[in-house]
Amino acid sequence: RKNRALDVGMILLLTMLAFVTRFYRLSEPPAVVFDEYHFGKFTNWVMNRTHYFDIHPPLGKLTFAGLGYLMGYEPVEGFMYDAIGKNYTESGTKYYRLRVIAASFGVATVPMVYETCRTM
């Protein structure tokens, strides 16, 4: 490929933009939103070693639980992610740590997609 320096510059620029857009106000709202309704429950179940049934493959749930564990996330007794809009701060749930995992994967996607497109 020609002009590898331009590609590196574009990857850095796009990755920085991805980081800013994904981490800006990541802690807001301090309530359950969208897929946290599902992934929060699954993460808690995996970390508590609770049996559950899901038709989807477990890799994403296991990744969240494993990385959540490494980042210090702990399920809060009684908080089950059972309603969108349910407030985290009242229960003391450390939701930000799980959001960091999702945002980090979103940032990592950008250089991978760029490289994939450039090699096509």
Side-chain angles (χ1 to χ4, degrees):
R1 289 184 341 208
K2 294 180 183 178
N3 209 344
R4 183 68 183 152
L6 179 60
D7 281 340
V8 170
M10 286 299 294
I11 289 170
L12 291 174
L13 174 66
L14 293 172
T15 303
M16 286 189 305
L17 287 172
F19 181 86
V20 169
T21 58
R22 282 159 181 79
F23 280 87
Y24 175 70
R25 295 174 54 175
L26 186 62
S27 61
E28 296 176 23
V32 177
V33 293
F34 196 56
D35 272 356
E36 291 173 353
Y37 176 81
H38 302 289
F39 276 86
K41 278 189 243 187
F42 292 133
T43 300
N44 283 357
W45 288 337
V46 169
M47 292 181 81
N48 288 328
R49 296 185 175 115
T50 303
H51 178 74
Y52 66 92
F53 174 78
D54 183 35
I55 62 170
H56 302 291
L59 181 61
K61 297 155 196 81
L62 293 172
T63 302
F64 264 81
L67 292 175
Y69 173 79
L70 292 175
M71 294 178 70
Y73 173 79
E74 296 176 5
V76 172
E77 178 96 24
F79 191 86
M80 281 309 302
Y81 296 86
D82 54 357
I84 291 178
K86 187 172 185 177
N87 195 299
Y88 286 125
T89 55
E90 295 168 0
S91 66
T93 301
K94 299 175 182 174
Y95 68 97
Y96 188 78
R97 295 169 189 204
L98 295 183
R99 287 186 182 175
V100 165
I101 295 167
S104 297
F105 276 102
V107 172
T109 301
V110 172
M112 289 188 288
V113 169
Y114 184 91
E115 279 296 314
T116 300
C117 291
R118 290 293 289 154
T119 57
M120 294 177 91

